[in-house]
């Protein structure tokens, strides 16, 4: 988008401010607001100075000066500011004799992964389509101190949140794990989801559909249409931004936390993906079983071979592994199948369009850094194609009900963040290919995440009091 187009966009909507948004290493947006008079060519050539040492995972204090360089292709009208505001996403750059790419800038990683694909498979592009699952609560309290630790959640939809004191206690509570596609009045969030989807469409995100999810305590899903890797990573950040802010505006609280509730369905972020030559999916072959091409099988082989280390990016929280347990449609084994929702990789049995022949990688969740996770999945797939990695035969069985003897023969995914990080330290050459990821980035990522584990490990939990207080 040229500067003249942006200026006309600002003029047509009486824009007063320019909001520059950028992503840190863990995957959170930050922002800096300028008057609209700053919208000129110099801004997109020279950027704005920021302190990288104040951002998690970025530079040290003695090398804190960095540049935020906005990308004019990412502009959208922000729906949440009182004064008309144009938002633009930016890249974090290093300062030197000239502005240069920063190795730990998440958008750089995603962009370089796309370039590496283009060099490896001429004319190919990586297309992604995530499913966003999240909970919406009516009240959220949590505290962690020396003398107290607790969380307390309320959901007007949940059967366990009914009481005689509720002003709106009119029945129609959703029973345990019975929320999938429920109608109003059980589904109290349908208008809110529609508001969110309208805002997303106005900001440039095409929506496939939205609905209530399995979790009766206010679990929802928005599924988007497909887009190229970097664009989809940008749009994924936008989805979280709009969902959280519109819920907050309506006096509710949204979370993409994988497992906020014990014994309730967790929230995943299944990622549909395929490679395209611009006309059709490279994963389609009408003469192959399930119409999945040899290229698609090898891509799957790469994902399964590197699944353990991939989880360090696709499931990068200690809470992630509270979701990846049997009995909740969450994958725990490294398998693939057609239409099997207990498999790690599911080839949708209902797909019919050769242009979008795809599969979904089911472990990921919303705590990921989208840029890094999408790039890591693509790099694993490319490695599978380059090395013709055979994923073996699909496993078309319900893994939740298989006997232990059969399960022992199947590769089990990591059951903790520590195990995933250990795998990443041992298995990362496929990520370093083409300079897409760097050793510097991997080292800092692992350090950040191991610190999360340390902080969790040294704090007592309420359930530990139940187990051990009276011993």
């Amino acid at each position: 988008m040229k500067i003249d187009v942006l200026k006309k966009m600002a003029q047509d909507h009486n824009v007063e401010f320019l909001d520059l948004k950028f992503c840190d290493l863990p995957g959170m947006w930050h922002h800096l607001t300028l008057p609209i008079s700053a919208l000129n060519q110099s801004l997109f050539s020279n950027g704005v100075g920021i302190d990288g040492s104040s951002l998690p995972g970025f530079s040290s204090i003695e090398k804190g000066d960095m540049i935020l360089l906005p990308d004019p292709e990412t502009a959208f009208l922000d729906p949440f500011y009182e004064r008309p505001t144009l938002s633009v996403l930016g890249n974090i750059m290093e300062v030197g004799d000239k502005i240069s790419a920063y190795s730990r800038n998440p958008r750089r990683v995603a962009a370089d992964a796309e370039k590496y694909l283009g060099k490896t498979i001429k004319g190919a592009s990586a297309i992604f389509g995530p499913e966003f699952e999240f909970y919406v609560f009516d009240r959220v309290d949590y505290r962690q101190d020396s003398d107290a630790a607790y969380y307390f959640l309320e959901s007007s939809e949940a059967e366990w949140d009914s009481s005689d004191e509720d002003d709106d206690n009119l029945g129609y509570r959703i029973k345990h794990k019975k929320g999938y596609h429920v109608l109003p009045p059980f589904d109290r969030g349908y208008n809110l989801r529609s508001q969110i989807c309208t805002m997303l469409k106005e900001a440039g995100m095409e929506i496939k559909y939205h609905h209530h999810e399995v979790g009766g305590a206010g679990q929802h899903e928005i599924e988007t249409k497909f887009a190229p890797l970097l664009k989809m990573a940008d749009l994924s950040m936008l989805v979280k931004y709009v969902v959280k802010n519109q819920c907050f505006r309506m006096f509710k609280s949204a979370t993409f936390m994988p497992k906020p509730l014990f014994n309730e369905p967790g929230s995943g972020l299944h990622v549909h993906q395929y490679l395209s030559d611009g006309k059709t999916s490279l994963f389609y072959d009408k003469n192959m079983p399930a119409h999945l091409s040899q290229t698609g099988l090898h891509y799957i082989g790469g994902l399964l071979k590197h699944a353990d280390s991939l989880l360090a990016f696709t499931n990068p929280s200690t809470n992630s592994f509270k979701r990846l347990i049997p009995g909740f449609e969450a994958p725990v084994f490294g398998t693939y199948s057609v239409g099997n929702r207990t498999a790690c990789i599911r080839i949708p049995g209902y797909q019919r369009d050769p242009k979008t022949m795809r599969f979904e990688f089911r472990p990921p969740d919303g705590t990921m850094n989208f840029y890094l996770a999408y790039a890591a999945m693509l790099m694993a797939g490319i490695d599978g194609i380059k090395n013709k990695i055979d994923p073996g035969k699909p496993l078309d069985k319900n893994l939740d009900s298989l006997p232990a003897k059969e399960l022992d023969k199947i590769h089990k995914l990591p059951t903790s963040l520590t195990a995933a990080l250990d795998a990443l330290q041992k298995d990362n050459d496929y990520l370093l290919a083409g300079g897409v990821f760097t050793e510097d980035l991997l080292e800092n990522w692992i350090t950040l995440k191991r610190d999360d584990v340390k902080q969790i490990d040294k704090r007592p939990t309420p359930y530990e009091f139940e187990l051990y207080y009276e011993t």
Side-chain angles (χ1 to χ4, degrees), residues 90-163:
N91 289 299
I92 302 300
M93 311 293 284
E94 285 196 289
V95 176
D97 294 335
K98 62 179 182 178
I99 297 175
S100 58
Y102 180 47
S103 66
R104 299 181 218 168
N105 170 29
R107 291 191 85 239
R108 177 208 65 80
V109 176
D112 283 358
E114 289 185 316
K115 293 175 185 175
Y116 181 68
L117 171 64
K119 292 176 182 177
T120 307
I121 305 175
K122 298 297 183 183
S125 59
I127 309 300
F128 283 73
E131 301 176 8
F132 297 90
E133 295 178 350
F134 55 94
Y135 275 93
V136 176
F137 296 115
D138 297 287
R139 178 182 172 187
V140 180
D141 292 329
Y142 54 86
R143 178 185 171 194
Q144 177 70 64
D145 259 320
S146 297
D147 64 327
Y150 69 88
Y151 65 88
F152 179 82
L153 305 171
E154 285 187 0
S155 168
S156 59
E157 291 185 343
E159 62 178 345
W160 41 256
D161 206 23
S162 176
S163 73

Side-chain angles (χ1 to χ4, degrees), residues 178-292:
K178 298 295 184 182
Y180 189 63
H181 286 197
V182 292
L183 279 169
F186 292 101
D187 179 7
R188 305 187 186 199
Y190 64 98
N191 282 325
L192 179 57
R193 290 196 309 273
S194 292
Q195 292 168 6
I196 289 168
C197 289
T198 297
M199 289 180 172
L200 288 171
K201 189 176 189 311
E202 290 172 349
M205 167 68 90
E206 292 295 326
I207 302 300
K208 185 177 178 181
Y209 52 63
H210 68 76
H211 62 84
H212 202 286
E213 254 299 344
V214 175
Q219 190 183 34
H220 306 273
E221 178 179 313
I222 295 174
E223 187 167 343
T224 65
K225 292 189 177 180
F226 305 123
L229 189 154
L230 176 58
K231 182 174 179 61
M232 181 51 75
D234 287 340
L235 291 173
S236 297
M237 296 295 293
L238 177 67
V239 170
K240 291 182 75 171
Y241 175 70
V242 172
V243 167
K244 290 178 180 180
N245 277 281
Q246 182 60 14
C247 287
F248 195 77
R249 177 188 275 178
M250 303 303 291
F251 303 101
K252 295 184 182 294
S253 182
T255 181
F256 291 83
M257 187 176 178
K259 194 76 170 181
L261 296 166
F262 169 67
N263 204 35
E264 293 280 358
S267 294
L269 204 145
H270 310 147
V271 182
H272 295 255
Q273 52 200 282
Y274 65 95
L275 302 183
S276 173
D277 62 4
K279 296 179 180 179
T280 191
S281 170
L282 297 179
F283 292 174
Y284 179 77
D285 186 339
K286 65 180 180 180
N287 298 316
M288 292 285 287
H291 296 167
L292 185 67

Side-chain angles (χ1 to χ4, degrees), residues 226 272 274 283-284 290-292 338 346-354 356-359:
F226 305 123
H272 295 255
Y274 65 95
F283 292 174
Y284 179 77
H291 296 167
L292 185 67
V338 178
R346 180 181 72 93
I347 303 166
Y350 50 72
Q351 63 182 346
R352 296 290 182 269
D353 189 351
T356 59
M357 179 67 191
R358 67 194 186 277
F359 60 79

Side-chain angles (χ1 to χ4, degrees), residues 220-410:
H220 306 273
E221 178 179 313
I222 295 174
E223 187 167 343
T224 65
K225 292 189 177 180
F226 305 123
L229 189 154
L230 176 58
K231 182 174 179 61
M232 181 51 75
D234 287 340
L235 291 173
S236 297
M237 296 295 293
L238 177 67
V239 170
K240 291 182 75 171
Y241 175 70
V242 172
V243 167
K244 290 178 180 180
N245 277 281
Q246 182 60 14
C247 287
F248 195 77
R249 177 188 275 178
M250 303 303 291
F251 303 101
K252 295 184 182 294
S253 182
T255 181
F256 291 83
M257 187 176 178
K259 194 76 170 181
L261 296 166
F262 169 67
N263 204 35
E264 293 280 358
S267 294
L269 204 145
H270 310 147
V271 182
H272 295 255
Q273 52 200 282
Y274 65 95
L275 302 183
S276 173
D277 62 4
K279 296 179 180 179
T280 191
S281 170
L282 297 179
F283 292 174
Y284 179 77
D285 186 339
K286 65 180 180 180
N287 298 316
M288 292 285 287
H291 296 167
L292 185 67
S293 70
Q294 201 66 51
T295 298
L297 281 171
H298 289 153
Y299 190 109
I300 287 175
L303 283 177
L304 292 179
K305 177 183 178 181
H306 302 296
D308 290 9
S309 58
L310 274 178
L311 263 59
F313 285 109
T314 61
N315 303 76
S317 71
T318 58
N319 188 255
S320 297
F321 297 87
K322 292 177 171 62
R323 167 182 161 256
L324 299 180
I325 58 175
F328 291 90
E329 287 193 12
V332 294
F333 293 96
T335 64
Y336 79 101
S337 181
V338 178
N340 186 350
R341 294 174 185 266
T342 64
C344 176
I345 293 175
R346 180 181 72 93
I347 303 166
Y350 50 72
Q351 63 182 346
R352 296 290 182 269
D353 189 351
K355 294 180 181 179
T356 59
M357 179 67 191
R358 67 194 186 277
F359 60 79
E360 65 170 349
F361 189 58
R362 292 180 61 80
D365 64 56
T367 60
M368 72 170 88
N369 179 317
F370 295 110
Y371 302 100
L372 302 183
Y374 293 172
M377 284 183 271
L378 175 59
M379 295 301 288
I382 293 174
D383 187 64
I385 294 170
K386 286 174 62 179
N387 293 291
K388 294 181 169 54
I389 298 173
D390 183 2
K393 294 182 179 180
L395 187 62
D396 300 319
K397 296 180 180 179
N398 182 352
L399 297 172
D400 289 342
S401 61
L402 281 185
K405 282 187 177 181
E406 287 192 56
L407 291 176
D408 288 342
K409 300 175 184 177
I410 306 171

